[in-house]
Structures are given as structure tokens and as C-alpha cells.
Amino acid sequence: MERRIPKAGEIYRHFKGKRYKILHIATCTETGEDMVIFETAEGERKVYASEMEAFLSPLDSGKYPGAEQKYRFELCRDRKEEGGIRLKRHGNTTELILEFLELEDNGERVTFLQRHRSEIDARFLTAASESLEFAENGESVEERYAALLRFLKTKQRYESRRLR
């Protein structure tokens, strides 16, 4: 299989338009096959499992001639990078989330949060926290922002000490 394996926290778009968040990669106890465990990213939360091969499979263009995607599920940021459909909701929050998810280390994430403070909203904070497996506990956007920033700075300090 030439496509990359999905990772927990990534958002994939099904060819029919719904978005799904990857929760885990699991192994089927019956067949030993890799399974993708994912949930709906919008609306009522439902959890699904799909065989990895089926999840990453190309779309049958004969059966679905009007489909815009090449595969059944595609990583949302792949579509942005290919110059295809630009994801936009609630201003530029989606673009900010995608930029944040591409950052390599916690120092970059701290700088990003500080630079984009005026653009960050509740939706961004939820996505960023989930991508870092950080359990939010604040109620207001300001409290949640401050908690996420503290979390990242703590991780950054811990990681820099560990490298010494």
C-alpha cells in the first residue's frame, strides 16, 4: 500500500463529504488485519471501524463518476496542499488548525499560539488540545488558551531537559 498510514488526531474526509477523526489504529483479533478506528468529526459522535485496506482504497470512479476525491477517505490537509477545495469555516479557523497540526515541536506551537492569539477561538482550542491529547479544563476561551499555552511550555521545558 503506497498511501501513508493514518495517525490518531488526523481528520479525514469521506468522498461523500463527512469528516472523521482518527482515534486509533487497531488489530482485528479474528484476522490480524490492521483496522482504523474513527469517529464523526461533526454532529452526533459515532465511532466506526474499517479495515485499513478498505479505508485507504481508491474510489470506484465507475460507481461514483461525480466524486471529487480519488480515494474513499482523504486527509483533509492533503486537499488544501493540492490546491483543491479550501476548507473554510468560521473565518480562517480551519486554516489555523491545519497550520498548527503541521508544526514539528512544542516551541513552534507556543510561538504560533502567541502570534495568532487574536484569531484563536473555541473551535481551534478544541482541535489543538485533542491533537496533543491535552485534557482541557477551562471554561472560557481565555482560560482554555492559557491552559494550553502552559501545557506546551511545560512540555517544551521537559523535552529540553531530557535532551541534555
Side-chain angles (χ1 to χ4, degrees), residues 54-95:
F55 187 88
L56 296 175
S57 69
L59 193 57
D60 182 345
S61 58
K63 191 173 179 181
Y64 302 101
E68 296 179 10
Q69 292 186 187
K70 181 178 177 182
Y71 297 97
R72 288 184 62 219
F73 290 90
E74 291 184 2
L75 184 62
C76 283
R77 97 175 145 239
D78 284 348
R79 295 186 62 134
K80 180 182 171 201
E81 290 168 359
E82 292 170 12
I85 295 171
R86 302 243 351 162
L87 297 173
K88 274 207 155 207
R89 287 184 73 181
H90 309 294
N92 65 352
T93 302
T94 300
E95 290 181 10

Side-chain angles (χ1 to χ4, degrees), residues 132-149:
L132 297 166
E133 297 181 359
F134 170 65
E136 294 183 284
N137 56 7
E139 291 187 23
S140 71
V141 171
E142 292 77 21
E143 291 171 338
R144 293 170 59 200
Y145 170 82
L148 181 60
L149 201 55

Side-chain angles (χ1 to χ4, degrees), residues 2-135:
E2 60 186 71
R3 293 187 63 203
R4 71 189 256 325
I5 303 299
K7 295 179 184 171
E10 292 178 333
I11 305 294
Y12 277 74
R13 182 179 304 282
H14 187 264
F15 75 95
K16 291 183 179 176
K18 283 192 175 182
R19 296 180 325 138
Y20 297 89
K21 178 182 173 188
I22 306 301
L23 299 176
H24 300 284
I25 303 302
T27 303
C28 178
T29 59
E30 302 296 319
T31 65
E33 291 181 80
D34 285 335
M35 305 286 289
V36 180
I37 312 300
F38 56 100
E39 72 177 348
T40 51
E42 302 160 334
E44 184 183 342
R45 301 286 180 173
K46 289 188 176 182
V47 176
Y48 299 94
S50 175
E51 294 173 351
M52 179 75 69
E53 188 174 332
F55 187 88
L56 296 175
S57 69
L59 193 57
D60 182 345
S61 58
K63 191 173 179 181
Y64 302 101
E68 296 179 10
Q69 292 186 187
K70 181 178 177 182
Y71 297 97
R72 288 184 62 219
F73 290 90
E74 291 184 2
L75 184 62
C76 283
R77 97 175 145 239
D78 284 348
R79 295 186 62 134
K80 180 182 171 201
E81 290 168 359
E82 292 170 12
I85 295 171
R86 302 243 351 162
L87 297 173
K88 274 207 155 207
R89 287 184 73 181
H90 309 294
N92 65 352
T93 302
T94 300
E95 290 181 10
L96 281 177
I97 292 167
L98 294 174
E99 282 182 53
F100 183 83
L101 292 175
E102 293 202 8
L103 298 174
E104 297 292 325
D105 64 47
N106 292 320
E108 290 177 358
R109 291 181 186 112
V110 167
T111 302
F112 181 90
L113 289 176
Q114 291 169 336
R115 184 177 44 223
H116 295 283
R117 174 63 190 109
S118 63
E119 303 165 74
I120 291 174
D121 61 9
R123 185 169 169 265
F124 174 90
L125 290 170
T126 298
S129 296
E130 287 178 0
S131 75
L132 297 166
E133 297 181 359
F134 170 65

